[in-house]
mmCIF file with all atom_site columns, all heavy atoms in Angstrom:
data_model
loop_
_atom_site.group_PDB
_atom_site.id
_atom_site.type_symbol
_atom_site.label_atom_id
_atom_site.label_alt_id
_atom_site.label_comp_id
_atom_site.label_asym_id
_atom_site.label_entity_id
_atom_site.label_seq_id
_atom_site.pdbx_PDB_ins_code
_atom_site.Cartn_x
_atom_site.Cartn_y
_atom_site.Cartn_z
_atom_site.occupancy
_atom_site.B_iso_or_equiv
_atom_site.pdbx_formal_charge
_atom_site.auth_seq_id
_atom_site.auth_comp_id
_atom_site.auth_asym_id
_atom_site.auth_atom_id
_atom_site.pdbx_PDB_model_num
ATOM 1   N N   . PHE Y 1 25 ? 10.223 3.288   -16.184 1.00 0.00 ? 25 PHE Y N   1
ATOM 2   C CA  . PHE Y 1 25 ? 10.767 3.041   -14.827 1.00 0.00 ? 25 PHE Y CA  1
ATOM 3   C C   . PHE Y 1 25 ? 9.746  2.468   -13.870 1.00 0.00 ? 25 PHE Y C   1
ATOM 4   O O   . PHE Y 1 25 ? 9.980  1.483   -13.196 1.00 0.00 ? 25 PHE Y O   1
ATOM 5   C CB  . PHE Y 1 25 ? 11.407 4.365   -14.268 1.00 0.00 ? 25 PHE Y CB  1
ATOM 6   C CG  . PHE Y 1 25 ? 11.810 4.167   -12.852 1.00 0.00 ? 25 PHE Y CG  1
ATOM 7   C CD1 . PHE Y 1 25 ? 12.952 3.536   -12.485 1.00 0.00 ? 25 PHE Y CD1 1
ATOM 8   C CD2 . PHE Y 1 25 ? 10.968 4.693   -11.877 1.00 0.00 ? 25 PHE Y CD2 1
ATOM 9   C CE1 . PHE Y 1 25 ? 13.346 3.384   -11.114 1.00 0.00 ? 25 PHE Y CE1 1
ATOM 10  C CE2 . PHE Y 1 25 ? 11.319 4.570   -10.482 1.00 0.00 ? 25 PHE Y CE2 1
ATOM 11  C CZ  . PHE Y 1 25 ? 12.520 3.894   -10.144 1.00 0.00 ? 25 PHE Y CZ  1
ATOM 12  N N   . TYR Y 1 26 ? 8.592  3.144   -13.862 1.00 0.00 ? 26 TYR Y N   1
ATOM 13  C CA  . TYR Y 1 26 ? 7.553  2.674   -12.941 1.00 0.00 ? 26 TYR Y CA  1
ATOM 14  C C   . TYR Y 1 26 ? 7.053  1.309   -13.266 1.00 0.00 ? 26 TYR Y C   1
ATOM 15  O O   . TYR Y 1 26 ? 6.747  0.512   -12.407 1.00 0.00 ? 26 TYR Y O   1
ATOM 16  C CB  . TYR Y 1 26 ? 6.416  3.682   -12.845 1.00 0.00 ? 26 TYR Y CB  1
ATOM 17  C CG  . TYR Y 1 26 ? 6.665  4.806   -12.003 1.00 0.00 ? 26 TYR Y CG  1
ATOM 18  C CD1 . TYR Y 1 26 ? 6.866  6.151   -12.556 1.00 0.00 ? 26 TYR Y CD1 1
ATOM 19  C CD2 . TYR Y 1 26 ? 6.955  4.752   -10.651 1.00 0.00 ? 26 TYR Y CD2 1
ATOM 20  C CE1 . TYR Y 1 26 ? 7.159  7.212   -11.810 1.00 0.00 ? 26 TYR Y CE1 1
ATOM 21  C CE2 . TYR Y 1 26 ? 7.273  5.798   -9.874  1.00 0.00 ? 26 TYR Y CE2 1
ATOM 22  C CZ  . TYR Y 1 26 ? 7.390  7.070   -10.443 1.00 0.00 ? 26 TYR Y CZ  1
ATOM 23  O OH  . TYR Y 1 26 ? 7.724  8.154   -9.652  1.00 0.00 ? 26 TYR Y OH  1
ATOM 24  N N   . THR Y 1 27 ? 6.941  1.005   -14.534 1.00 0.00 ? 27 THR Y N   1
ATOM 25  C CA  . THR Y 1 27 ? 6.508  -0.398  -14.961 1.00 0.00 ? 27 THR Y CA  1
ATOM 26  C C   . THR Y 1 27 ? 7.522  -1.392  -14.498 1.00 0.00 ? 27 THR Y C   1
ATOM 27  O O   . THR Y 1 27 ? 7.156  -2.480  -13.994 1.00 0.00 ? 27 THR Y O   1
ATOM 28  C CB  . THR Y 1 27 ? 6.315  -0.426  -16.438 1.00 0.00 ? 27 THR Y CB  1
ATOM 29  O OG1 . THR Y 1 27 ? 5.380  0.579   -16.844 1.00 0.00 ? 27 THR Y OG1 1
ATOM 30  C CG2 . THR Y 1 27 ? 5.906  -1.764  -16.925 1.00 0.00 ? 27 THR Y CG2 1
ATOM 31  N N   . ALA Y 1 28 ? 8.829  -1.084  -14.694 1.00 0.00 ? 28 ALA Y N   1
ATOM 32  C CA  . ALA Y 1 28 ? 9.875  -1.990  -14.264 1.00 0.00 ? 28 ALA Y CA  1
ATOM 33  C C   . ALA Y 1 28 ? 9.855  -2.207  -12.777 1.00 0.00 ? 28 ALA Y C   1
ATOM 34  O O   . ALA Y 1 28 ? 9.973  -3.281  -12.197 1.00 0.00 ? 28 ALA Y O   1
ATOM 35  C CB  . ALA Y 1 28 ? 11.217 -1.540  -14.701 1.00 0.00 ? 28 ALA Y CB  1
ATOM 36  N N   . PHE Y 1 29 ? 9.626  -1.105  -12.002 1.00 0.00 ? 29 PHE Y N   1
ATOM 37  C CA  . PHE Y 1 29 ? 9.530  -1.185  -10.574 1.00 0.00 ? 29 PHE Y CA  1
ATOM 38  C C   . PHE Y 1 29 ? 8.429  -2.096  -10.084 1.00 0.00 ? 29 PHE Y C   1
ATOM 39  O O   . PHE Y 1 29 ? 8.535  -2.942  -9.238  1.00 0.00 ? 29 PHE Y O   1
ATOM 40  C CB  . PHE Y 1 29 ? 9.456  0.243   -10.015 1.00 0.00 ? 29 PHE Y CB  1
ATOM 41  C CG  . PHE Y 1 29 ? 9.358  0.238   -8.458  1.00 0.00 ? 29 PHE Y CG  1
ATOM 42  C CD1 . PHE Y 1 29 ? 10.532 -0.048  -7.670  1.00 0.00 ? 29 PHE Y CD1 1
ATOM 43  C CD2 . PHE Y 1 29 ? 8.161  0.490   -7.821  1.00 0.00 ? 29 PHE Y CD2 1
ATOM 44  C CE1 . PHE Y 1 29 ? 10.425 -0.020  -6.347  1.00 0.00 ? 29 PHE Y CE1 1
ATOM 45  C CE2 . PHE Y 1 29 ? 8.102  0.474   -6.468  1.00 0.00 ? 29 PHE Y CE2 1
ATOM 46  C CZ  . PHE Y 1 29 ? 9.238  0.239   -5.722  1.00 0.00 ? 29 PHE Y CZ  1
ATOM 47  N N   . PHE Y 1 30 ? 7.214  -1.858  -10.658 1.00 0.00 ? 30 PHE Y N   1
ATOM 48  C CA  . PHE Y 1 30 ? 6.057  -2.641  -10.270 1.00 0.00 ? 30 PHE Y CA  1
ATOM 49  C C   . PHE Y 1 30 ? 6.172  -4.069  -10.710 1.00 0.00 ? 30 PHE Y C   1
ATOM 50  O O   . PHE Y 1 30 ? 5.665  -4.958  -10.048 1.00 0.00 ? 30 PHE Y O   1
ATOM 51  C CB  . PHE Y 1 30 ? 4.788  -1.997  -10.720 1.00 0.00 ? 30 PHE Y CB  1
ATOM 52  C CG  . PHE Y 1 30 ? 4.463  -0.781  -9.928  1.00 0.00 ? 30 PHE Y CG  1
ATOM 53  C CD1 . PHE Y 1 30 ? 4.255  0.467   -10.637 1.00 0.00 ? 30 PHE Y CD1 1
ATOM 54  C CD2 . PHE Y 1 30 ? 4.354  -0.751  -8.611  1.00 0.00 ? 30 PHE Y CD2 1
ATOM 55  C CE1 . PHE Y 1 30 ? 3.986  1.612   -9.924  1.00 0.00 ? 30 PHE Y CE1 1
ATOM 56  C CE2 . PHE Y 1 30 ? 4.105  0.409   -7.855  1.00 0.00 ? 30 PHE Y CE2 1
ATOM 57  C CZ  . PHE Y 1 30 ? 3.866  1.556   -8.556  1.00 0.00 ? 30 PHE Y CZ  1
ATOM 58  N N   . ASN Y 1 31 ? 6.905  -4.377  -11.819 1.00 0.00 ? 31 ASN Y N   1
ATOM 59  C CA  . ASN Y 1 31 ? 7.118  -5.769  -12.183 1.00 0.00 ? 31 ASN Y CA  1
ATOM 60  C C   . ASN Y 1 31 ? 7.998  -6.462  -11.160 1.00 0.00 ? 31 ASN Y C   1
ATOM 61  O O   . ASN Y 1 31 ? 7.847  -7.646  -10.924 1.00 0.00 ? 31 ASN Y O   1
ATOM 62  C CB  . ASN Y 1 31 ? 7.782  -5.793  -13.581 1.00 0.00 ? 31 ASN Y CB  1
ATOM 63  C CG  . ASN Y 1 31 ? 6.779  -5.617  -14.696 1.00 0.00 ? 31 ASN Y CG  1
ATOM 64  O OD1 . ASN Y 1 31 ? 5.610  -5.810  -14.522 1.00 0.00 ? 31 ASN Y OD1 1
ATOM 65  N ND2 . ASN Y 1 31 ? 7.279  -5.199  -15.803 1.00 0.00 ? 31 ASN Y ND2 1
ATOM 66  N N   . LEU Y 1 32 ? 8.916  -5.681  -10.593 1.00 0.00 ? 32 LEU Y N   1
ATOM 67  C CA  . LEU Y 1 32 ? 9.763  -6.206  -9.520  1.00 0.00 ? 32 LEU Y CA  1
ATOM 68  C C   . LEU Y 1 32 ? 8.915  -6.689  -8.360  1.00 0.00 ? 32 LEU Y C   1
ATOM 69  O O   . LEU Y 1 32 ? 9.183  -7.781  -7.741  1.00 0.00 ? 32 LEU Y O   1
ATOM 70  C CB  . LEU Y 1 32 ? 10.788 -5.211  -9.093  1.00 0.00 ? 32 LEU Y CB  1
ATOM 71  C CG  . LEU Y 1 32 ? 11.737 -5.604  -7.986  1.00 0.00 ? 32 LEU Y CG  1
ATOM 72  C CD1 . LEU Y 1 32 ? 12.696 -6.709  -8.556  1.00 0.00 ? 32 LEU Y CD1 1
ATOM 73  C CD2 . LEU Y 1 32 ? 12.574 -4.402  -7.537  1.00 0.00 ? 32 LEU Y CD2 1
ATOM 74  N N   . LEU Y 1 33 ? 7.825  -5.990  -8.028  1.00 0.00 ? 33 LEU Y N   1
ATOM 75  C CA  . LEU Y 1 33 ? 7.012  -6.403  -6.903  1.00 0.00 ? 33 LEU Y CA  1
ATOM 76  C C   . LEU Y 1 33 ? 6.246  -7.666  -7.184  1.00 0.00 ? 33 LEU Y C   1
ATOM 77  O O   . LEU Y 1 33 ? 5.886  -8.443  -6.309  1.00 0.00 ? 33 LEU Y O   1
ATOM 78  C CB  . LEU Y 1 33 ? 5.973  -5.268  -6.617  1.00 0.00 ? 33 LEU Y CB  1
ATOM 79  C CG  . LEU Y 1 33 ? 6.511  -3.915  -6.126  1.00 0.00 ? 33 LEU Y CG  1
ATOM 80  C CD1 . LEU Y 1 33 ? 5.458  -2.894  -5.992  1.00 0.00 ? 33 LEU Y CD1 1
ATOM 81  C CD2 . LEU Y 1 33 ? 7.310  -4.131  -4.810  1.00 0.00 ? 33 LEU Y CD2 1
ATOM 82  N N   . VAL Y 1 34 ? 6.044  -7.961  -8.505  1.00 0.00 ? 34 VAL Y N   1
ATOM 83  C CA  . VAL Y 1 34 ? 5.370  -9.226  -8.910  1.00 0.00 ? 34 VAL Y CA  1
ATOM 84  C C   . VAL Y 1 34 ? 6.361  -10.312 -8.939  1.00 0.00 ? 34 VAL Y C   1
ATOM 85  O O   . VAL Y 1 34 ? 6.147  -11.451 -8.449  1.00 0.00 ? 34 VAL Y O   1
ATOM 86  C CB  . VAL Y 1 34 ? 4.620  -8.989  -10.263 1.00 0.00 ? 34 VAL Y CB  1
ATOM 87  C CG1 . VAL Y 1 34 ? 4.121  -10.372 -10.757 1.00 0.00 ? 34 VAL Y CG1 1
ATOM 88  C CG2 . VAL Y 1 34 ? 3.529  -8.068  -10.142 1.00 0.00 ? 34 VAL Y CG2 1
ATOM 89  N N   . PHE Y 1 35 ? 7.515  -10.147 -9.575  1.00 0.00 ? 35 PHE Y N   1
ATOM 90  C CA  . PHE Y 1 35 ? 8.462  -11.192 -9.886  1.00 0.00 ? 35 PHE Y CA  1
ATOM 91  C C   . PHE Y 1 35 ? 9.428  -11.574 -8.748  1.00 0.00 ? 35 PHE Y C   1
ATOM 92  O O   . PHE Y 1 35 ? 9.919  -12.655 -8.641  1.00 0.00 ? 35 PHE Y O   1
ATOM 93  C CB  . PHE Y 1 35 ? 9.212  -10.977 -11.121 1.00 0.00 ? 35 PHE Y CB  1
ATOM 94  C CG  . PHE Y 1 35 ? 8.372  -11.048 -12.393 1.00 0.00 ? 35 PHE Y CG  1
ATOM 95  C CD1 . PHE Y 1 35 ? 8.024  -9.913  -13.116 1.00 0.00 ? 35 PHE Y CD1 1
ATOM 96  C CD2 . PHE Y 1 35 ? 7.862  -12.278 -12.773 1.00 0.00 ? 35 PHE Y CD2 1
ATOM 97  C CE1 . PHE Y 1 35 ? 7.230  -10.035 -14.223 1.00 0.00 ? 35 PHE Y CE1 1
ATOM 98  C CE2 . PHE Y 1 35 ? 7.060  -12.370 -13.858 1.00 0.00 ? 35 PHE Y CE2 1
ATOM 99  C CZ  . PHE Y 1 35 ? 6.711  -11.186 -14.593 1.00 0.00 ? 35 PHE Y CZ  1
ATOM 100 N N   . ALA Y 1 36 ? 9.667  -10.659 -7.815  1.00 0.00 ? 36 ALA Y N   1
ATOM 101 C CA  . ALA Y 1 36 ? 10.526 -10.939 -6.668  1.00 0.00 ? 36 ALA Y CA  1
ATOM 102 C C   . ALA Y 1 36 ? 9.994  -12.060 -5.774  1.00 0.00 ? 36 ALA Y C   1
ATOM 103 O O   . ALA Y 1 36 ? 10.690 -13.032 -5.462  1.00 0.00 ? 36 ALA Y O   1
ATOM 104 C CB  . ALA Y 1 36 ? 10.817 -9.664  -5.804  1.00 0.00 ? 36 ALA Y CB  1
#
Side-chain angles (χ1 to χ4, degrees):
F25 170 78
Y26 283 114
T27 302
F29 179 74
F30 288 124
N31 281 338
L32 182 66
L33 296 176
V34 171
F35 289 111

